[in-house]
Amino acid sequence: MSLRPPALDPLFAPVTTLAGVGPKLAPLLKRLLTGGENDARVIDVLFHLPRGGVSRELRPSIRSAPFGEPVTVAGVVIEHKPPAPQGRSPYRVIIEDDTGDLALVFFNVYRDHLSKTLPVGATRYVSGVIELWNGFRQMTHPDHILDENGLKTLPKIEPVYGLTEGLTSRFLIRCTAAALERLPSLPEWQDAAWIAQRKWPPFTEALKGLHRPGSVASVNEEGMIGNPLRKRLAYDELLASQLALALARARMRRLRGRPTIGDGSVSGPLERALPFSLTSSQQRALAEIRADLASEHKMLRLLQGDVGSGKTVVALLAMLTAVEAGRQAALMVPTEILARQHFERISAMLEQSGVRIGLLTGREKTSERRKVLEGLADGSISLALGTHALFQEGVTYKDLGLAVVDEQHRFGVHQRLAMGSKGEAVDVLVMTATPIPRTLALTLYGDMDVSVLSEKPAGRKPVATRIITLERLDEVAGGLKRAIAAGNLIYWVCPLVAESEKTDLAAAEERFADLKKRLGDVVGLVHGRMSGAEKDTVMERFMAEDIKVLVSTTVIEVGVDIPKASVMVIEHAERFGLAQLHQLRGRVGRGGTASSCLLLYRGPLSQTAKARLQIMRETEDGFRIAEEDLRLRGAGEMLGSKQSGLPETKIANLAFDSDLLAAARDDARLILERDLTLESERGQALRLLLYLFDRDQAVRLLKAG
Ligand code: ADP
Ligand code: MG
């Protein structure tokens, strides 16, 4: 049963209820408006905003109308000139006014139709682009041919919509006009003072105004950004999403957790044995996490820190706190290589402690796997490390207290939920190295509390970054030879190839063979198609400095920590995104030695590729890089919104509406502080807003309490 207020029904009706939308066009609208996912509804038509506008204002005369842009002119029909019977020339209709004449040109049209719409002697208004052809003005296939009455219905500015194959602009205009007729009168859900201050119109007025624009400048690409009508709707959308997140968060808050309090008996000695002391932001983050663990509420916290900021040790100390409290903790990482690396390091660190650790990556031998599963089920293993295998069906924990997800952007939201379901009141810590701009973090993680590692551990040296054309490969290889002789370890990352993994592999194999020829037996290769054991062997040889140059596909991108590695070569760097380049470069510069990163490219570079590489050379600040990335790409693309769990926006664009996002967040919190269940008059109106932007799950949360 839907709780949707009936007032909204007309907007949620399928598009087929609109005049002129039949079974042939409905699927096209579905493709255009919902990416083919859902049947299109009236509201989807309304949220499909114009991308521009065409002025249809009547020009004073044919002669004064400019060439090459859409114009509307009036003229009297003088003559029809059909093509010669076998000729290929088009059908022409000549119209004229006091200042000159104009040929209307038609290919493949019904003559009957033309003689009806353009009878000789009648005055007609035609709209289209005039061009000069052999010295004569002509207009090919006018957009509009109207009589006096028709002219009255022609809007001064006609909206231009994004289309999909099979749909015409004219159809969409009609469709939208019909949809606008369905708009019910709706109560205001925004704060009156805020609306007044911004000079924003009501929701329905904003929609009408955008679809019936007053000027071309207000709806063209640039104009739309600042258009207060669009801003109003963008704010509506952002408020809806922030409100939904705030509701989820408030609900989470009400869920009982169990206080998990450690006595420091394991984490204390481990912390003291570290070869370094924690940075102050590590200490702060750890304290925040421990306070969450100790509280009665369930924890959902994000630990955000740039590559190399030292998240792992914070997570480990937090997990040990859970272990001290007699509960279990699990750390999930995205790759086998990383899981194994953590397992080995942590096992070594905990050798004396008596804490039993299990590794689960989905490729253990059956007997080994059984032992781990048993240990998790009977509680004898208190620390579990692994990949998503940790949270698959069939894995049971005696008493899981804390689940940690590393590099969360690789995991979907549903995995986050799967983890929480592995025990009673599991606290969840999510770690990410993707330096998400603050603005985006709000939409992505609005339901989480956030700890930030804002500083890098002391002693890190900057990574000297150079941009070099692949044509200078010989020099680069020469440089590597010297670097090897000086005792450096080198990563060589081969490009992502668009077509398939197999070609990725081919590229890496080719480079591997080539470098082996140039540098000798010190070159190794690791790629995603290798078995886990094969990967481990290669990584171990690299760590043992048996291999000095590790050629790889991007499998090393995430998490791998080999402090001695000091040179990162990225081949075809122009094919990588900024975030990826930053992650890759973050693999070096971890030890005490001066490190370098070579970005090899093949020209010619596109504008954005050039900008990306330059940013990499200019800064190592992950947040700055993320902001630039956002600017260069636009928010949706940056995170591949489908995978990232980033709510896709219909109207707001986080690349330029970020100012509104923070306001929406604060607004949402304030609203719930005053009216947690949205019962007040404004609360009821806000429920409508949640429906309009498909956040109705949140309305259901209100009931579920
Ligand atoms: P990331 O945040 O990218 O996961 P890691 O946890 O892998 O970073 O840490 C990177 C390196 O920094 C590791 O070798 C780790 O031992 C080291 N490290 C962590 N914290 C500190 C610190 N406070 N001082 C010095 N080195 C540290
Ligand atoms: Mg890490």
Side-chain angles (χ1 to χ4, degrees):
M1 191 199 74
S2 170
L3 302 163
R4 193 174 60 220
L8 297 181
D9 286 351
L11 298 180
F12 284 81
V15 281
T16 45
T17 61
L18 296 171
V21 184
K24 243 178 66 193
L25 292 170
L28 298 178
L29 284 173
K30 175 176 173 170
R31 169 153 31 109
L32 176 71
L33 302 176
T34 77
E37 276 180 28
N38 302 301
D39 287 336
R41 306 156 303 178
V42 173
I43 185 77
D44 300 317
V45 175
L46 293 175
F47 283 158
H48 187 59
L49 299 182
R51 293 213 293 219
V54 174
S55 169
R56 297 294 182 196
E57 206 143 5
L58 186 62
R59 305 284 171 155
S61 66
I62 289 177
R63 182 173 286 275
S64 69
F67 298 114
E69 62 182 85
V71 291
T72 306
V73 294
V76 177
V77 180
I78 300 301
E79 184 186 9
H80 280 235
K81 289 184 168 170
Q86 249 65 47
R88 294 173 140 239
S89 55
Y91 193 107
R92 289 167 193 275
V93 179
I94 312 300
I95 66 170
E96 69 169 29
D97 68 4
D98 299 344
T99 66
D101 61 9
L102 171 66
L104 309 178
V105 177
F106 303 90
F107 297 88
N108 309 321
V109 280
Y110 296 113
R111 291 168 185 214
D112 285 357
H113 179 67
L114 286 182
S115 33
K116 235 181 257 160
T117 47
L118 290 162
V120 173
T123 297
R124 286 294 177 264
Y125 302 87
V126 295
S127 196
V129 177
I130 299 180
E131 256 139 359
L132 214 51
W133 196 77
N134 280 350
F136 295 101
R137 286 188 172 75
Q138 72 171 37
M139 181 187 284
T140 307
H141 289 270
D143 299 332
H144 297 282
I145 300 171
L146 304 164
D147 58 14
E148 196 76 40
N149 285 328
L151 182 69
K152 283 183 200 140
T153 66
L154 186 70
K156 294 260 182 303
I157 309 293
E158 197 174 68
V160 174
Y161 295 101
L163 297 172
T164 190
E165 206 184 318
L167 289 182
T168 64
S169 168
R170 203 180 291 200
F171 166 74
L172 220 65
I173 288 169
R174 249 193 303 133
C175 200
T176 310
L180 285 172
E181 297 299 317
R182 301 285 178 89
L183 273 173
S185 86
L186 296 168
E188 182 57 78
W189 42 75
Q190 297 293 1
D191 179 62
W194 168 249
I195 289 283
Q197 183 208 334
R198 293 266 166 160
K199 300 199 169 63
W200 282 344
F203 175 78
T204 48
E205 294 311 308
L207 274 174
K208 286 179 193 161
L210 286 163
H211 289 294
R212 298 168 186 158
S215 71
V216 172
S218 69
V219 286
N220 64 16
E221 210 177 315
E222 229 171 284
M224 267 300 214
I225 294 176
N227 187 330
L229 307 187
R230 191 199 63 84
K231 279 271 180 195
R232 147 92 216 209
L233 297 182
Y235 190 73
D236 281 339
E237 178 171 33
L238 294 173
L239 182 62
S241 79
Q242 289 304 306
L243 198 55
L245 278 172
L247 281 166
R249 179 190 164 92
R251 175 147 180 273
M252 179 89 192
R253 291 275 140 130
R254 292 199 298 280
L255 292 179
R256 295 245 113 192
R258 286 190 304 164
T260 300
I261 301 168
D263 59 6
S265 59
V266 187
S267 58
L270 185 126
E271 187 179 335
R272 284 190 291 279
L274 290 173
F276 48 78
S277 45
L278 297 183
T279 64
S280 56
S281 58
Q282 281 173 317
Q283 284 170 13
R284 191 174 348 109
L286 188 58
E288 285 163 351
I289 295 164
R290 282 180 170 153
D292 283 352
L293 289 173
S295 89
E296 303 246 324
H297 299 294
K298 239 172 129 154
M299 170 170 87
L300 181 53
R301 181 170 286 277
L302 178 75
L303 177 59
Q304 196 183 16
D306 208 346
V307 258
S309 59
K311 294 181 289 297
T312 319
V313 67
V314 174
L316 177 61
L317 292 168
M319 290 194 288
L320 293 178
T321 299
V323 172
E324 287 160 7
R327 311 188 65 194
Q328 291 164 299
L331 169 63
M332 172 164 83
V333 298
T335 64
E336 265 173 48
I337 290 185
L338 196 53
R340 184 155 290 273
Q341 187 180 65
H342 281 329
F343 180 73
E344 269 150 25
R345 292 210 177 151
I346 294 172
S347 297
M349 288 162 99
L350 290 175
E351 217 162 24
Q352 314 294 325
S353 69
V355 174
R356 218 179 127 204
I357 311 177
L359 175 70
L360 212 54
T361 63
R363 67 165 187 87
E364 287 72 28
K365 285 195 225 84
T366 318
S367 58
E368 220 175 296
R369 176 180 164 79
R370 189 174 319 125
K371 263 204 298 198
V372 176
L373 289 181
E374 276 168 14
L376 292 176
D378 68 17
S380 59
I381 291 179
S382 15
L383 211 57
L385 306 174
T387 59
H388 58 275
L390 284 173
F391 296 101
Q392 266 158 6
E393 263 176 72
V395 184
T396 53
Y397 293 81
K398 174 143 187 282
D399 184 10
L400 184 61
L402 172 62
V404 184
V405 198
D406 194 6
E407 313 292 356
Q408 97 97 34
H409 60 292
R410 296 277 163 139
F411 297 105
V413 174
H414 56 281
Q415 270 138 330
R416 204 151 95 197
L417 296 173
M419 292 188 319
S421 67
K422 282 293 179 191
E424 188 198 328
V426 182
D427 286 319
V428 175
L429 177 67
V430 173
M431 305 200 287
T432 181
T434 311
I436 301 157
R438 282 188 53 73
T439 50
L440 268 186
L442 284 175
T443 26
L444 265 180
Y445 301 123
D447 58 335
M448 298 195 211
D449 295 302
V450 180
S451 297
V452 181
L453 298 185
S454 48
E455 66 211 307
K456 291 210 175 183
R460 291 281 157 83
K461 298 230 171 73
V463 180
T465 300
R466 281 186 296 151
I467 303 171
I468 303 172
T469 163
L470 262 165
E471 277 155 32
R472 291 169 55 193
L473 190 63
D474 287 340
E475 284 166 59
V476 171
L480 290 191
K481 213 175 245 171
R482 288 191 295 278
I484 294 168
N488 292 288
L489 291 185
I490 297 151
Y491 291 108
W492 185 297
V493 178
C494 287
L496 278 175
V497 178
E499 301 91 80
S500 74
E501 205 185 325
K502 206 162 136 217
T503 28
D504 271 21
L505 180 53
E509 272 171 342
E510 210 170 288
R511 181 57 67 211
F512 169 61
D514 170 63
L515 287 177
K516 227 160 124 170
K517 227 182 285 160
R518 293 167 185 268
L519 304 170
D521 257 351
V522 294
V523 186
L525 172 68
V526 64
H527 58 74
R529 289 281 181 97
M530 282 178 161
S531 76
E534 287 171 322
K535 277 187 225 164
D536 289 348
T537 314
V538 178
M539 292 307 285
E540 272 154 28
R541 288 183 58 207
F542 188 49
M543 273 185 256
E545 300 182 42
D546 186 12
I547 288 173
K548 306 219 191 264
V549 181
L550 183 65
V551 177
S552 79
T553 49
T554 47
V555 288
I556 59 148
E557 180 191 340
V558 172
V560 172
D561 179 37
I562 299 173
K564 272 190 202 143
S566 59
V567 180
M568 168 63 69
V569 184
I570 305 175
E571 185 170 340
H572 279 299
E574 78 278 8
R575 295 190 195 163
F576 291 85
L578 261 180
Q580 233 176 345
L581 290 173
H582 178 65
Q583 289 283 324
L584 286 169
R585 184 172 58 185
R587 300 299 123 213
V588 297
R590 301 183 151 222
T593 38
S595 301
S596 54
C597 175
L598 307 183
L599 302 174
L600 303 184
Y601 71 92
R602 166 144 307 140
L605 289 177
S606 71
Q607 282 289 334
T608 31
K610 199 179 283 173
R612 282 201 299 267
L613 298 185
Q614 258 152 17
I615 290 159
M616 286 297 292
R617 190 170 52 191
E618 270 166 34
T619 182
E620 278 186 71
D621 176 346
F623 283 91
R624 160 107 203 271
I625 288 173
E627 300 281 0
E628 295 289 344
D629 200 17
L630 183 64
R631 199 176 55 74
L632 286 175
R633 296 223 247 166
E637 225 185 310
M638 171 171 127
L639 292 149
S641 55
K642 288 243 163 61
Q643 296 144 26
S644 68
L646 178 73
E648 267 177 281
T649 50
K650 300 172 203 275
I651 290 166
N653 183 327
L654 295 174
F656 43 75
D657 292 327
S658 49
D659 54 325
L660 297 180
L661 187 56
R665 195 244 347 234
D666 296 344
D667 208 357
R669 294 204 171 167
L670 207 63
I671 288 165
L672 293 190
E673 262 170 41
R674 290 182 191 153
D675 179 17
L676 184 60
T677 49
L678 300 183
E679 301 294 343
S680 67
E681 197 180 324
R682 185 175 176 205
Q684 297 290 344
L686 283 161
R687 290 176 181 226
L688 298 179
L689 174 67
L690 289 169
Y691 278 105
L692 286 170
F693 286 97
D694 292 316
R695 306 285 164 169
D696 39 313
Q697 310 95 309
V699 180
R700 251 168 258 135
L701 285 180
L702 290 173
K703 302 274 161 185

